[in-house]
Amino acid sequence: MPSEPTDAEPNWVHYEPEEATLVAKTTFNEIDTVFEFELEDRDELGHVPGQFVQVFVPGVGEAPFSVSSSPTKDGPFELCIRKVGSVTTAIHEMEVGDTLGIRGPFGETCDIETFKGNDMLFVAGGIGLAPLRSMINFILYHRDWFRDVTVVYGCKDPTEILFPEEIERWQERDDIRFDITVDEVPEGVEWDDHVGVITTLLPGLKIDAPNTYTIVCGPPVMFQYVQEELDAKEIPHDHIYLSLERRMHCGVGLCGHCQINDLYVCQDGPVFNYEVIKDRPEALS
Amino acid sequence: MTDIEIKEEYVTRVEGHGNIVVNAANGEVENCEWQIVESPRYFESMFIGKNYEAVPHITSRICGICSASHVNSSLKAVENAIGVEISEQDRKLRKLSLNGEMVQSHVLHVGYLALPDLVGSKSVLPLAASHRDEVETVIRLHRLGNELLETTAGRSVHTERLIPGGFSRIPSERDLEDLRGKLEGAWDDLDAVVEFLGTLTDELPEFERETEFISLTHPDEYALLDGVIYSSDTGEMRNEDYESIVNEYIVPQSSAKFTKHARESYFVGALARVNNNFDQLSPKAKEVAAAFGLEPVCHDPFMNNVAQVVELAHLFEYSIDLIDELLDAGLEPQSDYNRPDITPEDGRGIGIVEAPRGILIHDYTFEDGTCRKANSVIPTNQNHANIQHDMEAFVPTILDEDEAEITRKLEMLVRAYDPCISCSTHYLEVEFVEG
Amino acid sequence: MKVIRKSDFDDLVNGLIESDPREVVGVQDDGTKYVFKPLERAADLSLDYDVTMLSPKKYFFPQKERLVQYRESEDGYEMLRDWSSEGKIIVGVHPYDLIAIEQLDRIFIDTQQDEPYRRKRENSLLIGVNMQAVSEWSFAGSMGTAVTDSGFDLMLTDLEDRYAVEIGSRKGSKLLEESPVREATLEEVDEVERITDELPEKFEKGIEFPPEKLPSLLDENYDNMAVWDEYADGCLSCGTCNVICPTCYCFNVDVVDFITDDTGGTVRRWDGCLLEDFAAVAGGENFREETVQRHRHRLMRKGNYIYERFGDIACIGCGRCTQHCVADVADPAEIYNKLWRSTNA
Amino acid sequence: MSKSTNMKPRVAFFDFTGCEGDQLQVINLEEKLLELVEIVEIASFREASSAHSDDYDIAFVEGSATTPHDAERLEEIRENATTVVALGSCATIAGINAIRNSQDFEAVKERVYGGEGDLFESWSEAKPIGAVIDVDYEIPGCPIDRQEFLRVLTDLVRGREPKMVNYPVCLECKLNENTCAYLRDDICLGPVTRGGCNSICVNGGTRCWGCRGLVKNPNENAACDVLEEHGLTTDEVMNFYNLYFGWQRTEEVVQ
Ligand SMILES: Cc1cc2nc3c(=O)[nH]c(=O)nc-3n(C[C@H](O)[C@H](O)[C@H](O)COP(=O)(O)OP(=O)(O)OC[C@H]3O[C@@H](n4cnc5c(N)ncnc54)[C@H](O)[C@@H]3O)c2cc1C
Ligand code: SF4
Ligand code: SF4
Ligand code: SF4
């Protein structure tokens, strides 16, 4: 006997998604698109930067995605999604006006309070820019709370650059340093900026290590190399945060799939302090 | 008269792969062949070196449609060879499993494979729109056969509970009571099929050819699981002599072996059983037979479909009787994971049952519980020669019709036999060769 | 403490079967083992069992459970919760299983607030029974889980023709209202005490150190590959030790629908961290690809991770995994003892 | 979200060397089959229909390939279909047909056809169809499980990737609260056999025979140890394995 849908207590996890409507989509390339969703029953998602939502596509499945927009942005929230499998493909096939299910926001992230008065360094690889963008825009909104802000972004090639217009605006600002690099430039593509893997950008940065907080997001292989560079700069390990990805079936610390040793990515993360995870052998490989 | 060239590859709505080839010029039949083009499966060889528990498991895979008959006949052969007896209760449950399969198979044949011919359709699927009630009736009856099989043997295709020495698990009394209720509830459906078919028998081509009918026979019952081989020409014979009864031989147009006994060919299956054992049919079955004017000895192969419907009535009544006997005696409980303690003797064993399509024979020799020699004679093999001779007699009578109609009628003839070619080895195709 | 005659207890159970809207389930002998299954009459109970195959966890956290149902309509999808709130009356739960349920309560109810679990749990009634027989694989005595004074609505102790009944909740005491029960005599109270005092000693197997030491023992031995490999080499990665365990609760969520329907739903079903694909993500990366990683993860989780998070040692020593592991490599007591000896030799 | 406006997918069934039990399982869907044909169009289903067309999207292929003629037909099917699904053990792992692969082929022919075994063309080995053409998906089982067939077809029609179960039968067997064969002096291939059948054979009181083939990474050494501990000789273990695993073990594991 299905239970009555009305008597749920709001704080309890009951797995029923909220309806959300796709109100806009902007396509960057064949595999990356940013989607704007509006919730049926509330105005705001109420997330903090770094948190994620579980997106349920009826008939296909559920998958976690970081919220890519900053909470300081009014109206619909944004998810930037790379097409890699069934759920992501189904979302890519949606048209404006279509609906799907959302649960969340979920997850623990970094406490932005502790960053106040410090330099901020963001290192994003590929689709890793999607979760960081929420934080970057939040920090730019409260720009005067922080000292220097630097974003380093690496992509496979120029066609895979996410949010190109926004990046242009960031690059035009003089209160933020934005460096970009691509691994390679395919024939016929115009590119007059840096070429090389992301770690080639890091040595050139002037960093006030004790007063810098770093947030990194990208594929697992990238972490290792970026960390070597950050160590070279002597950034304290508890000043470094990583956003990690695992398989998730609940988002609420039960299903066990996202477990890294004793930690749950969906609850203790997805944004982790490096000091916390560096001794967990399962975290980075 | 036009020349005729029929080459019907892979006759449809039969189990397995067979071709029909006919060519005629100036009203003269030049060639008329029933070809079996199923890829050889080499079953007899697969048994070699396998132990007595695996042999029936493999045998089942000879044919998806009559797997329970294969298992039952295989088990009889294994048990005879290694010296194992089963209980009366197990025998009755095995009979029920065999009944379930025969119901399933007959309904499949009459309702899904033959019926479309009679109403001029290519398959049963479009009939779901035009004859919804009839199709739903057929489906209900088909499922009932499967339920009989599932309740007793665990699964409808490739049984799991029938094992040497008995059953790994038996149904509960409640399962049997449920089943009995369903059987009792099926009479209306059967009556509906009888009535519907009655309106269509005019569609059956007219044809008769005298032939020999071979089946099992048993003094006390309409023989299905047990009995001895009986011929309408020569009477009762000894099961041990099956090789000299069936006389298997190889013909070039067929990867299945052909057989013959007293004449050039013989007939096995529902019509043979009804012809040979008519008196032992249940009362209801005899009523159905009367409704169609079927009485022994009937030499019209197209009446095989009718004989199957007659048997359906018998199988329902017989199953209800068996369940009553089991329930009256009370089920002897056994472990949910029964595995009889068997010390296999060396020896040879023959197992013969009536499969839906006729007598099915397995013959094994075991040493130390391991199969050293195996032979199988499959019902459809035994009918191939009869189909061939029927075709030879039938084609000249319909030569004035057009090719499409000749083809259709020849296919109907083949289908009437309900051939199960993947057993016999697999296909049906009519080939009209240039004349 | 109360006392009820066995025949009166049977009447009580039969009354529940007859009139309570909830299904009554209990421990029964299925011929080859004991299982919790729906009860047709009290006489079918086998309360002198040693251990059941699956634990009563299956009634609050079913093997397969619909979570959400959706229906396609003109303007999008309608999505409704679809899980059941139905509780059960469960008769014959041993103390270690009661403790396992209390652990799951702390996780599913107190901490993670899983509503499908909570509803079924809160609508249920647990009638416990003290062990009369001890499973040869169990080591509950050494885990401190052979007896318990909480987690039940009623707790029975067999006193030949009577049961001593301890009441654990208001729901429990209400249950007894209609039945002829009397206060236990002093002797009867003593007898129950003697039985429960002796119970922990009845186990032949045990861990050779106090369970409190388990979390730090595992911390120290995370890299003790000699021991982990010894067991993982024989492991079939079949997940048996996961699904059989009363404290395991990992799950997967699948979408299920049928081709011709415009409705469908999600189903959560038990998963196991020993299964090969458990920690694989889209794109092919598998974070615990090697059997030994998965095997170690399970034993770390039982003795360390859950403890760090929720404060419980998540192995209650029932021995089910030992009994049912086909390859005979799952026994936590044996593995923990080996680690203990290799560290304290 | 709006329902994608698909054309009716066209489905065809083909049979090679096998018992046609898998197609019978499709017919055994009973009423569901009638519902099914409202969603998909049956282009070819020889066992049940005389209608035939070479225009189809999804081809379900049952049976093993055993002759050069089979190979030609398979190539044709591959060319016509967008998606080829192997149906049942004979098609996915050569099934029991592979038992004879380890026997001397001359002896095999002799046993069945006496001196006239060469009248009929056949390879000395029975092969799964994946050894002859590219296969997109597999539905193992002898016979297939009806629910699994429906799940795969539903996935294909809805544009989802059908996923094959990759855990051993044991898992399902434990969930069904069966008494393990090894605890009752029997033997069983459940520990290395791909699940998805809901351990139906053990539920019926027997053992798993391995009909769905090996899981992706079976721990065969451990499974053999278990069998030997329960009294089987190495030869007997191999004989048991070769009921269904013959092809996989020679072609996939050993190579
Ligand atoms: C916290 C978090 C934030 C993420 N943020 C983003 C983002 O902003 N943008 C983005 O493009 N991607 C993000 N991802 C990755 C994204 O979740 C996966 O790409 C997605 O799950 C793939 O699903 P699929 O069905 O398309 O792929 P498939 O390959 O079809 O997935 C196969 C199945 O594997 C399971 N699965 C595989 N990987 C995951 C996973 N990571 N989580 C859950 N289930 C999985 C699912 O059950 C899925 O049905 C994030 C992941 C996490 C954990
Ligand atoms: S790990 Fe084993 S012994 Fe411990 S609680 Fe789980 S099943 Fe019981
Ligand atoms: S009976 Fe077979 S499938 Fe079941 S648990 Fe035992 S070994 Fe595994
Ligand atoms: S239990 Fe084994 S033999 Fe039986 S269906 Fe499943 S895989 Fe096949």
Side-chain angles (χ1 to χ4, degrees):
Chain A
M1 178 180 54
S3 50
E4 291 300 308
T6 46
D7 60 356
E9 291 166 41
N11 291 332
W12 284 80
V13 181
H14 49 76
Y15 298 97
E16 175 193 335
E18 286 177 71
E19 197 174 330
T21 308
L22 178 64
V23 292
K25 65 192 257 194
T26 311
T27 298
F28 301 129
N29 55 49
E30 275 175 21
I31 52 170
D32 301 304
T33 297
V34 61
F35 300 84
E36 291 183 47
F37 290 100
E38 211 167 60
L39 288 172
E40 194 80 352
D41 300 322
R42 16 177 210 150
D43 294 339
E44 301 261 291
L45 182 64
H47 69 293
V48 291
Q51 281 194 306
F52 68 95
V53 288
Q54 285 279 11
V55 177
F56 176 59
V57 185
V60 186
E62 200 175 51
F65 299 97
S66 296
V67 183
S68 195
S69 52
S70 162
T72 52
K73 171 184 173 294
D74 289 334
F77 65 92
E78 297 171 6
L79 305 177
C80 176
I81 295 174
R82 173 160 291 183
K83 189 159 79 173
V84 296
S86 12
V87 174
T88 47
T89 302
I91 301 173
H92 272 251
E93 281 168 3
M94 286 176 61
E95 282 161 27
V96 170
D98 291 348
T99 63
L100 45 58
I102 297 279
R103 292 191 298 124
F106 298 120
E108 196 56 47
T109 151
C110 38
D111 182 5
I112 291 179
E113 282 295 311
T114 57
F115 303 161
K116 277 188 181 168
N118 286 287
D119 290 347
M120 296 300 301
L121 170 62
F122 293 92
V123 183
I127 186 78
L129 184 63
L132 292 194
R133 172 174 172 262
S134 174
M135 191 105 50
I136 295 169
N137 279 332
F138 183 87
I139 277 172
L140 291 182
Y141 185 86
H142 298 290
R143 183 64 192 84
D144 51 340
W145 295 358
F146 307 93
R147 297 193 323 188
D148 291 353
V149 175
T150 307
V151 180
V152 178
Y153 175 39
C155 265
K156 203 150 93 224
D157 66 57
T159 63
E160 288 204 356
I161 294 175
L162 308 177
F163 304 103
E165 288 167 21
E166 194 161 333
I167 286 178
E168 228 167 86
R169 286 202 299 278
W170 290 344
Q171 281 175 321
E172 280 161 16
R173 287 175 74 140
D174 50 14
D175 57 352
I176 156 176
R177 173 176 175 158
F178 190 95
D179 286 354
I180 187 167
T181 183
V182 296
D183 294 354
E184 57 186 28
V185 182
E187 241 172 86
V189 175
E190 224 178 282
W191 181 250
D192 48 18
D193 212 323
H194 204 283
V195 179
V197 291
I198 192 160
T199 41
T200 58
L201 288 181
L202 295 173
L205 297 176
K206 265 221 229 24
I207 283 176
D208 172 15
N211 299 308
T212 299
Y213 280 90
T214 302
I215 306 175
V216 186
C217 188
V221 284
M222 187 191 95
F223 285 131
Q224 217 178 320
Y225 296 110
V226 168
Q227 188 53 44
E228 279 171 25
E229 295 300 328
L230 299 179
D231 276 344
K233 301 265 181 213
E234 296 183 343
I235 300 185
H237 285 176
D238 62 352
H239 282 205
I240 299 169
Y241 290 83
L242 305 173
S243 182
L244 297 185
E245 202 194 292
R246 285 296 185 278
R247 180 166 160 194
M248 288 174 188
H249 286 293
C250 68
V252 296
L254 281 170
C255 81
H257 285 274
C258 72
Q259 209 175 346
I260 294 176
N261 297 108
D262 57 328
L263 299 178
Y264 281 75
V265 174
C266 70
Q267 290 226 305
D268 306 306
V271 183
F272 289 95
N273 190 299
Y274 183 59
E275 188 63 37
V276 173
I277 54 164
K278 68 176 182 188
D279 297 327
R280 267 94 177 168
E282 292 177 352
L284 295 175
S285 61
Chain B
M1 216 177 262
T2 51
D3 294 354
I4 289 181
E5 292 166 31
I6 300 177
K7 179 167 188 265
E8 184 66 15
E9 276 216 331
Y10 301 164
V11 176
T12 56
R13 276 184 285 129
V14 302
E15 206 273 356
H17 305 106
N19 304 342
I20 297 170
V21 179
V22 175
N23 54 329
N26 308 317
E28 290 290 317
V29 178
E30 293 179 342
N31 184 25
C32 167
E33 250 179 34
W34 168 229
Q35 302 178 333
I36 304 303
V37 292
E38 187 76 20
S39 310
R41 300 192 58 200
Y42 305 109
F43 263 100
E44 287 93 334
S45 187
M46 290 184 202
F47 302 125
I48 307 304
K50 295 293 177 197
N51 86 8
Y52 65 89
E53 286 179 293
V55 165
H57 182 94
I58 299 172
T59 312
S60 179
R61 273 75 189 166
I62 293 179
C63 172
I65 295 185
C66 52
S67 57
S69 299
H70 278 284
V71 172
N72 269 305
S73 134
S74 178
L75 283 170
K76 285 177 71 173
V78 168
E79 285 158 359
N80 285 339
I82 64 174
V84 174
E85 293 276 333
I86 63 166
S87 70
E88 203 41 44
Q89 172 171 306
D90 287 343
R91 188 174 306 281
K92 286 185 175 140
L93 286 168
R94 284 193 185 173
K95 284 178 175 173
L96 276 176
S97 74
L98 205 59
N99 289 0
E101 175 173 274
M102 203 171 274
V103 169
Q104 183 277 132
S105 174
H106 281 1
V107 173
L108 181 74
H109 183 232
V110 174
Y112 288 61
L113 310 182
L115 191 69
D117 282 332
L118 302 180
V119 297
S121 164
K122 289 195 183 259
S123 85
V124 77
L125 298 175
L127 302 185
S130 60
H131 297 73
R132 187 80 194 183
D133 287 349
E134 287 83 354
V135 169
E136 283 179 1
T137 306
V138 165
I139 285 179
R140 275 197 301 275
L141 288 170
H142 189 249
R143 190 179 38 232
L144 179 60
N146 277 336
E147 281 173 346
L148 239 169
L149 202 42
E150 281 160 13
T151 308
T152 49
R155 179 162 68 181
S156 56
V157 180
H158 303 324
T159 65
E160 345 111 0
R161 298 185 183 184
L162 300 169
I163 57 167
F167 280 78
S168 64
R169 182 171 296 186
I170 55 170
S172 67
E173 291 187 356
R174 176 171 310 170
D175 292 339
L176 291 176
E177 281 158 15
D178 286 352
L179 202 55
R180 192 186 190 288
K182 286 177 182 158
L183 286 161
E184 287 286 4
W187 289 121
D188 286 350
D189 283 345
L190 190 70
D191 289 343
V193 167
V194 170
E195 194 178 318
F196 183 55
L197 213 62
T199 66
L200 297 171
T201 38
D202 290 350
E203 301 296 320
L204 292 174
E206 263 175 51
F207 175 67
E208 274 193 357
R209 184 182 69 89
E210 257 191 50
T211 190
E212 177 184 6
F213 292 98
I214 293 186
S215 69
L216 290 183
T217 194
H218 190 282
D220 308 326
E221 59 188 19
Y222 187 80
L224 294 171
L225 184 71
D226 296 318
V228 296
I229 304 176
Y230 175 89
S231 152
S232 55
D233 283 0
T234 63
E236 275 185 33
M237 293 169 282
R238 287 159 27 115
N239 288 357
E240 302 87 276
D241 297 335
Y242 81 89
E243 278 163 308
S244 62
I245 298 170
V246 304
N247 296 304
E248 284 190 296
Y249 59 99
I250 291 173
V251 293
Q253 82 254 32
S254 163
S255 53
K257 295 171 195 170
F258 277 39
T259 57
K260 64 173 171 209
H261 179 237
R263 338 177 167 210
E264 70 282 2
S265 67
Y266 61 83
F267 189 122
V268 297
L271 189 60
R273 289 189 292 261
V274 168
N275 274 336
N276 287 354
N277 299 317
F278 191 86
D279 289 343
Q280 288 161 313
L281 283 168
S282 77
K284 180 85 188 174
K286 284 181 186 153
E287 277 173 37
V288 173
F292 287 103
L294 172 62
E295 52 189 51
V297 176
C298 167
H299 284 286
D300 175 356
F302 289 99
M303 286 301 273
N304 195 37
N305 288 336
V306 169
Q308 288 175 325
V309 178
V310 168
E311 286 199 325
L312 282 178
H314 175 82
L315 291 163
F316 288 180
E317 270 182 316
Y318 183 40
S319 299
I320 293 173
D321 289 348
L322 282 168
I323 293 175
D324 285 342
E325 286 169 28
L326 284 162
L327 291 175
D328 288 348
L331 275 189
E332 185 71 33
Q334 67 168 49
S335 159
D336 275 352
Y337 305 94
N338 182 43
R339 190 172 172 229
D341 198 6
I342 291 172
T343 315
E345 292 165 11
D346 289 353
R348 175 175 172 198
I350 295 166
I352 309 185
V353 305
E354 282 285 352
R357 294 161 189 79
I359 56 170
L360 165 62
I361 305 164
H362 287 284
D363 171 5
Y364 311 126
T365 304
F366 280 91
E367 269 170 38
D368 301 325
T370 301
C371 184
R372 299 290 175 212
K373 201 161 172 279
N375 188 26
S376 310
V377 182
I378 269 107
T380 295
N381 286 20
Q382 301 170 66
N383 275 336
H384 287 322
N386 216 52
I387 296 175
Q388 172 73 33
H389 286 100
D390 272 358
M391 266 175 56
E392 286 165 15
F394 187 42
V395 168
T397 70
I398 52 173
L399 265 189
D400 51 349
E401 301 183 28
D402 66 24
E403 247 180 47
E405 188 54 21
I406 297 175
T407 307
R408 192 181 77 87
K409 286 193 169 148
L410 288 178
E411 285 190 315
M412 280 176 75
L413 174 69
V414 168
R415 259 178 225 129
Y417 280 83
D418 188 10
C420 184
I421 307 171
S422 67
C423 279
S424 75
T425 156
H426 227 51
Y427 243 35
L428 246 173
E429 163 185 10
V430 189
E431 190 174 333
F432 286 83
V433 182
E434 277 159 65
Chain C
M1 188 176 291
K2 309 273 181 198
V3 166
I4 185 170
R5 288 218 318 262
K6 280 190 173 168
S7 56
D8 293 328
F9 178 75
D10 282 1
D11 290 345
L12 169 70
V13 172
N14 284 329
L16 290 169
I17 294 170
E18 196 121 300
S19 57
D20 198 283
R22 291 168 289 189
E23 189 173 35
V24 182
V25 298
V27 179
Q28 293 164 66
D29 184 347
D30 83 347
T32 40
K33 63 186 176 299
Y34 298 101
V35 288
F36 279 98
K37 61 177 185 183
L39 204 54
E40 279 176 30
R41 50 187 173 266
D44 292 343
L45 282 168
S46 297
L47 294 183
D48 57 353
Y49 74 103
D50 54 359
V51 65
T52 58
M53 181 146 177
L54 295 183
S55 82
K57 154 184 104 174
K58 64 184 179 184
Y59 296 119
F60 315 129
F61 174 49
Q63 288 188 12
K64 281 194 176 147
E65 171 173 34
R66 291 284 282 229
L67 290 180
V68 174
Q69 190 192 58
Y70 58 82
R71 183 181 301 281
E72 198 178 346
S73 67
E74 279 294 286
D75 45 13
Y77 279 100
E78 196 187 349
M79 290 177 254
L80 294 173
R81 78 195 49 167
D82 198 19
W83 36 265
S84 158
S85 300
E86 239 170 77
K88 308 263 186 224
I89 296 176
I90 307 175
V91 188
V93 188
H94 275 171
Y96 51 80
D97 275 343
L98 290 168
I99 291 170
I101 292 169
E102 283 186 296
Q103 291 190 4
L104 290 182
D105 289 351
R106 273 193 280 282
I107 297 168
F108 276 79
I109 299 178
D110 301 346
T111 319
Q112 311 298 41
Q113 303 198 304
D114 181 273
E115 223 187 331
Y117 177 96
R118 193 247 312 220
R119 291 297 171 100
K120 284 185 276 294
R121 174 71 181 90
E122 288 180 353
N123 290 334
S124 293
L125 210 68
L126 291 173
I127 301 180
V129 62
N130 270 315
M131 278 175 261
Q132 285 165 264
V134 159
S135 148
E136 63 176 284
W137 296 278
S138 176
F139 49 101
S142 64
M143 301 303 288
T145 54
V147 287
T148 181
D149 50 18
S150 64
F152 49 82
D153 296 292
L154 292 178
M155 184 73 184
L156 311 177
T157 308
D158 186 279
L159 300 176
E160 295 184 2
D161 59 341
R162 301 141 290 155
Y163 287 116
V165 191
E166 200 175 325
I167 293 170
S169 72
R170 278 232 309 281
K171 282 195 281 184
S173 80
K174 246 184 95 188
L175 199 65
L176 288 180
E177 268 170 14
E178 308 277 304
S179 296
V181 291
R182 61 169 169 81
E183 283 303 325
T185 62
L186 264 181
E187 291 79 55
E188 283 166 333
V189 174
D190 282 349
E191 176 67 0
V192 170
E193 199 164 309
R194 189 190 59 78
I195 290 173
T196 49
D197 281 352
E198 282 175 8
L199 258 171
E201 308 307 319
K202 287 196 169 169
F203 293 81
E204 273 169 34
K205 281 179 53 140
I207 55 169
E208 297 161 358
F209 53 93
E212 308 83 75
K213 295 223 153 66
L214 200 47
S216 58
L217 176 73
L218 287 168
D219 260 339
E220 287 159 29
N221 281 282
Y222 185 83
D223 292 317
N224 189 346
M225 299 320 283
V227 174
W228 299 126
D229 277 332
E230 181 186 338
Y231 290 91
D233 280 349
C235 172
L236 299 155
S237 293
C238 68
T240 291
C241 55
N242 293 133
V243 296
I244 206 92
C245 178
T247 67
C248 271
Y249 59 88
C250 289
F251 59 83
N252 221 313
V253 177
D254 300 323
V255 167
V256 281
D257 55 359
F258 175 60
I259 190 159
T260 55
D261 295 345
D262 57 3
T263 68
T266 58
V267 170
R268 78 168 160 196
R269 61 173 165 84
W270 295 1
D271 205 346
C273 62
L274 255 303
L275 301 177
E276 192 187 356
D277 299 336
F278 186 81
V281 302
E285 185 119 23
N286 188 342
F287 290 93
R288 281 189 292 275
E289 193 166 9
E290 303 296 327
T291 311
V292 64
Q293 295 174 310
R294 302 194 292 276
H295 201 263
R296 174 178 62 188
H297 180 77
R298 162 173 170 260
L299 289 148
M300 292 294 298
R301 202 175 137 105
K302 296 281 151 214
N304 177 300
Y305 299 159
I306 301 261
Y307 176 81
E308 296 292 337
R309 243 184 144 68
F310 304 103
D312 291 316
I313 303 278
C315 170
I316 46 79
C318 63
R320 287 182 172 101
C321 55
T322 317
Q323 177 179 6
H324 293 285
C325 174
V326 174
D328 206 9
V329 294
D331 186 352
E334 187 181 326
I335 298 169
Y336 291 151
N337 283 339
K338 190 151 279 182
L339 292 174
W340 177 256
R341 276 180 238 142
S342 78
T343 320
N344 295 279
Chain D
M1 199 171 64
S2 64
K3 196 185 242 170
S4 49
T5 47
N6 287 336
M7 291 227 311
K8 259 190 170 188
R10 299 171 56 79
V11 172
F13 293 86
F14 299 95
D15 32 62
F16 290 79
T17 306
C19 77
E20 300 195 11
D22 301 310
Q23 289 181 78
L24 182 61
Q25 283 289 64
V26 175
I27 292 172
N28 284 345
L29 289 168
E30 319 285 12
E31 283 91 352
K32 284 263 186 261
L33 181 62
L34 295 187
E35 287 179 41
L36 207 66
V37 297
E38 288 170 16
I39 303 288
V40 302
E41 197 170 317
I42 307 279
S44 187
F45 192 175
R46 199 191 48 79
E47 189 173 295
S49 169
S50 302
H52 172 81
S53 151
D54 282 327
D55 178 14
Y56 44 85
D57 309 304
I58 306 171
F60 287 101
V61 183
E62 174 174 6
S64 307
T66 59
T67 68
H69 182 58
D70 287 349
E72 283 164 32
R73 280 178 65 219
L74 281 168
E75 303 280 354
E76 211 177 294
I77 291 167
R78 181 68 268 187
E79 220 151 89
N80 290 340
T82 349
T83 307
V84 175
V85 185
L87 204 59
S89 297
C90 292
T92 54
I93 55 168
I96 52 154
N97 291 323
I99 295 175
R100 70 171 166 89
N101 292 4
S102 59
Q103 300 173 339
D104 171 46
F105 189 49
E106 292 307 314
V108 169
K109 287 191 286 190
E110 163 74 29
R111 275 179 204 135
V112 184
Y113 295 106
E116 300 180 76
D118 287 328
L119 273 178
F120 316 106
E121 200 170 30
S122 173
W123 291 325
S124 59
E125 294 197 307
K127 303 177 187 180
I129 61 164
V132 179
I133 56 168
D134 285 340
V135 168
D136 300 291
Y137 304 104
E138 297 185 338
I139 304 179
C142 187
I144 57 162
D145 178 85
R146 304 200 279 256
Q147 295 312 317
E148 192 174 30
F149 171 79
L150 284 177
R151 181 173 60 75
V152 170
L153 186 57
T154 306
D155 281 348
L156 289 174
V157 170
R158 302 240 154 119
R160 301 184 299 235
E161 191 82 354
K163 291 198 182 78
M164 241 213 279
V165 160
N166 184 34
Y167 49 71
V169 171
C170 283
L171 183 80
E172 292 167 340
C173 188
K174 296 307 196 321
L175 290 171
N176 285 315
E177 294 196 71
N178 286 318
T179 303
C180 177
Y182 289 103
L183 292 178
R184 48 185 160 87
D185 267 340
D186 200 349
I187 48 171
C188 183
L189 289 180
V192 285
T193 303
R194 189 185 289 279
C197 60
N198 196 27
S199 68
I200 181 162
C201 297
V202 197
N203 305 353
T206 57
R207 59 169 79 145
C208 172
W209 299 86
C211 82
R212 294 171 60 86
L214 292 163
V215 276
K216 200 162 79 201
N217 286 309
N219 190 343
E220 286 197 78
N221 289 340
C224 288
D225 287 350
V226 170
L227 283 165
E228 286 175 16
E229 265 163 42
H230 282 80
L232 264 69
T233 63
T234 311
D235 278 353
E236 285 167 336
V237 171
M238 284 307 119
N239 204 343
F240 194 20
Y241 264 45
N242 278 344
L243 210 50
Y244 287 100
F245 300 160
W247 176 270
Q248 282 181 302
R249 285 182 44 82
T250 49
E251 301 299 317
E252 291 170 18
V253 185
V254 175
Q255 262 177 21

